Amino acid sequence: MKILSGIGLLLVSTLLLSDTLTILNWEGYLDSSVISRWQKQSGHTLQQIYFDNDEDRDSVMVGHKDRVIDLVVLDESASKTFGASGTLLAFKSNPKVANIQGVDQRWQDVCGDYSVPYLWGTLGVAYRTDKILSAPTSWHEILTPNKALSGHIGLMDDFVDLLAPALFVDNHSINTNDVGQLKGAFERLKDLLPHVLTFEYSISFLDSSQHKDNLYMTLAYSGDQYLLNEKSGSENWDFTTLKEGTVAWMDCFAVMMDSPRQDLALDFLNFLYQPEIAALNSEALYVATPMQSARALQTREFLSDTTVYAPVEVMNKAQYYEVLDKKNILLRNRITSSLVKIHESK
């Protein structure tokens, strides 16, 4: 899910194909059968540019040229930030996307005025059941790993989610701007570094690293385990949340303000938010949909999967992303960058 090394060629090809819709997205985050159905129905082509983390996504959004990106998947806080800066189109009242009104009312405002809720889930750990006999229950099992886990742990190069485990165990907010709390999280994670295998997003790591079989447990989002199993050709990966808490995240779909294919982008969104299509996409990806009308079409087995639809006791401990101020972001970026550099220097 790294930014494509051939992105320059991709941008050129998009310019030549004016009927091609381009989405900036996580890898494996839009079902292939949904893409095929839309292409067949619309007569247009859809292509995707993948990113590894929020910082890479933001860089592409800001730095892309020639108006190549039409749609982007981003979290709720980024949606509000980019919307306020004029980067995103306000489209919720447009009659071309009437189907988005099917999103549950409790989710409607989460993504703000410039995007629509897409899929939601939780933050926890993905782990290999062939290496770890019992499901982890505490964030301490990542932060203070036993000997068998040492050298087999994956983290994320993300200035919010990377710090979350250390903040959870000290009962702090994941959005804290308290310098002392953030420095305390840094110290906890610094102590963990000798046991860390990689900071690369786990799905990308399995795609590209010759050491992929050494990854036993990793910071992950619900649903990641299914793509990890697909990448590894196994059924060994599972997912769980931890007792100290989780992040309940919501990904949102937005239209780029500078896209010359806005009408086509809106047509795609209206297609995607048909209950049948939303249900199919959600279940294929093993990620929860924010549409009751779509959930009504999903299998009983899927609806009862607690890694998809987290139970009440998990959601009662969930925290939510907030828009962070610049000073907070700067400090978090310094912490994250320092941890990665220390790890790479060893």
Side-chain angles (χ1 to χ4, degrees):
M1 294 199 322
K2 46 191 171 294
I3 297 294
L4 299 179
S5 58
I7 192 170
L9 294 176
L10 181 59
L11 300 188
V12 171
S13 68
T14 302
L15 290 173
L16 295 175
L17 298 172
S18 60
D19 64 342
T20 297
L21 192 67
T22 301
I23 301 176
L24 185 60
N25 196 5
W26 300 93
E27 184 183 0
Y29 207 40
L30 183 62
D31 181 52
S32 59
S33 69
V34 169
I35 295 173
S36 297
R37 287 177 66 166
W38 183 76
Q39 291 184 149
K40 183 177 180 179
Q41 176 179 308
S42 69
H44 294 281
T45 302
L46 186 150
Q47 64 183 3
Q48 299 183 79
I49 299 174
Y50 301 136
F51 56 84
D52 260 312
N53 54 55
D54 292 348
E55 290 75 30
D56 283 345
R57 177 205 63 215
D58 294 354
S59 295
V60 175
M61 287 179 67
V62 172
H64 82 111
K65 297 179 180 180
D66 300 312
R67 302 178 297 169
V68 65
I69 298 167
D70 306 301
L71 288 155
V72 59
V73 173
L74 69 176
D75 62 86
E76 66 268 35
S77 59
S79 171
K80 293 170 183 175
T81 299
F82 278 107
S85 72
T87 305
L88 305 177
L89 176 72
F91 64 87
K92 286 188 172 182
S93 61
N94 193 311
K96 289 180 68 70
V97 284
N99 287 335
I100 68 173
Q101 301 308 318
V103 173
D104 294 5
Q105 191 60 48
R106 72 187 183 105
W107 295 118
Q108 285 282 6
D109 297 329
V110 171
C111 295
D113 296 329
Y114 297 90
S115 64
V116 59
Y118 175 44
L119 296 166
W120 68 274
T122 53
L123 178 73
V125 295
Y127 64 98
R128 283 175 54 177
T129 57
D130 62 327
K131 300 293 185 180
I132 300 169
L133 298 181
S134 57
T137 60
S138 170
W139 285 111
H140 283 287
E141 292 175 63
I142 273 196
L143 294 172
T144 54
N146 58 36
K147 186 176 180 180
L149 266 179
S150 182
H152 301 288
I153 291 174
L155 297 176
M156 292 182 188
D157 185 1
D158 181 284
F159 65 72
V160 177
D161 294 334
L162 172 60
L163 275 60
L167 293 170
F168 278 131
V169 297
D170 287 325
N171 199 31
H172 298 320
S173 166
I174 61 164
N175 303 295
T176 183
N177 60 4
D178 184 283
V179 174
Q181 293 176 3
L182 291 171
K183 287 184 175 179
F186 170 73
E187 293 300 329
R188 279 191 180 275
L189 290 166
K190 185 178 177 182
D191 290 342
L192 175 62
L193 290 179
H195 310 286
V196 174
L197 174 63
T198 182
F199 278 83
E200 188 174 7
Y201 188 45
S202 56
I203 295 166
S204 295
F205 187 74
L206 261 61
D207 257 343
S208 61
S209 177
Q210 61 182 338
H211 304 295
K212 59 186 177 183
D213 195 51
N214 290 331
L215 185 64
Y216 296 174
M217 183 186 291
T218 181
L219 193 62
Y221 307 111
S222 55
D224 282 355
Q225 71 273 28
Y226 297 99
L227 200 49
L228 289 170
N229 281 326
E230 181 182 316
K231 297 286 185 183
S232 63
S234 74
E235 293 297 324
N236 293 328
W237 286 97
D238 205 348
F239 173 87
T240 188
T241 53
L242 293 312
K243 65 182 181 181
E244 293 88 358
T246 184
V247 179
W249 50 263
M250 170 63 74
D251 280 329
C252 314
F253 246 118
V255 179
M256 296 293 289
M257 177 64 82
D258 63 0
S259 166
R261 292 165 290 274
Q262 289 180 359
D263 284 346
L264 188 59
L266 295 178
D267 286 342
F268 172 76
L269 288 180
N270 205 46
F271 167 84
L272 185 62
Y273 284 83
Q274 296 174 78
E276 175 195 359
I277 300 299
L280 169 64
N281 188 58
S282 164
E283 193 154 349
L285 302 181
Y286 258 80
V287 187
T289 173
M291 297 180 68
Q292 173 59 42
S293 56
R295 292 194 296 276
L297 301 175
Q298 294 180 324
T299 64
R300 182 176 301 178
E301 178 184 10
F302 181 70
L303 293 170
S304 63
D305 189 331
T306 56
T307 69
V308 179
Y309 292 104
V312 172
E313 57 268 26
V314 171
M315 295 304 290
N316 284 344
K317 291 185 176 181
Q319 297 188 38
Y320 297 83
Y321 297 120
E322 298 174 2
V323 176
L324 305 179
D325 62 47
K326 291 182 180 180
K327 186 176 180 181
N328 192 346
I329 292 172
L330 180 61
L331 177 56
R332 287 167 177 267
N333 272 323
R334 287 171 54 194
I335 288 172
T336 303
S337 177
S338 295
L339 290 168
V340 172
K341 287 179 179 177
I342 294 170
H343 178 258
E344 290 176 346
S345 67
K346 293 186 176 182

